[in-house]
Amino acid sequence: MFVVRTHNVCSVVFFATGLFLFSIQVGAATENIFRKGLDAQRAGNYTAAIGHFEHHNQHHECSSAHTAIAECYEALGDSQSALSSMNRAVSLGPNAGSSDPSGDFAEALQFRAKLLIESGNLQDAMNDLRRAIDTSPREPEIRYKYAR
């Protein structure tokens, strides 16, 4: 009986180690996809960048990728798609796959507020800026945007 338990424990350890290593590989692959999106975005190839960011979101959805997609759509002149992407980014909340959750979420709220202002929806834009201030109270730039 002891041999069987040892074998089962070893099997569990090897299985868990395998899952961990697989998750590291998947994480590295999705990070690489995100970087490709950033590179394409910086090069002005917005359509390709959107494809990379959407591919990234299939494996690891995060608000940063949705924000990047929105920036690309805005650069392409598609404000409706940009706003739709920002709605998704904000709906994911402040802890959606970010290394700086409150900062990234506040940034997403500010960008969506900008798009809302451009579409004439001032009330919702003000609400987003208030939420951004609540999320990152030490960020003076948000207060400046709210005051304007």
Side-chain angles (χ1 to χ4, degrees), residues 83 86 90 107-119 121-122 124-130 132 145:
L83 185 55
M86 287 314 302
V90 170
E107 186 178 311
L109 288 165
Q110 290 177 76
F111 188 60
R112 185 171 78 168
K114 175 190 174 293
L115 295 171
L116 288 167
I117 288 168
E118 290 171 357
S119 72
N121 191 341
L122 299 180
D124 286 343
M126 296 302 282
N127 291 337
D128 275 359
L129 289 173
R130 279 189 211 106
K145 289 177 183 176

Side-chain angles (χ1 to χ4, degrees), residues 12 15 17 35 54 62 65 68 74 79 85 89 92 113-114 132 136 142:
V12 169
F15 179 72
T17 303
R35 280 196 193 115
E54 287 177 346
C62 69
E74 183 187 41
S79 58
S85 292
L92 291 173
K114 175 190 174 293
S136 290
I142 303 170

Side-chain angles (χ1 to χ4, degrees), residues 1 18 23 25 33 35 45 49 62 71-72 77 83 85 87 114 123 135:
M1 185 71 170
S23 68
Q25 288 175 331
I33 294 166
R35 280 196 193 115
N45 191 349
C62 69
E71 291 169 348
C72 291
L83 185 55
S85 292
N87 288 339
K114 175 190 174 293
Q123 187 60 48
T135 302

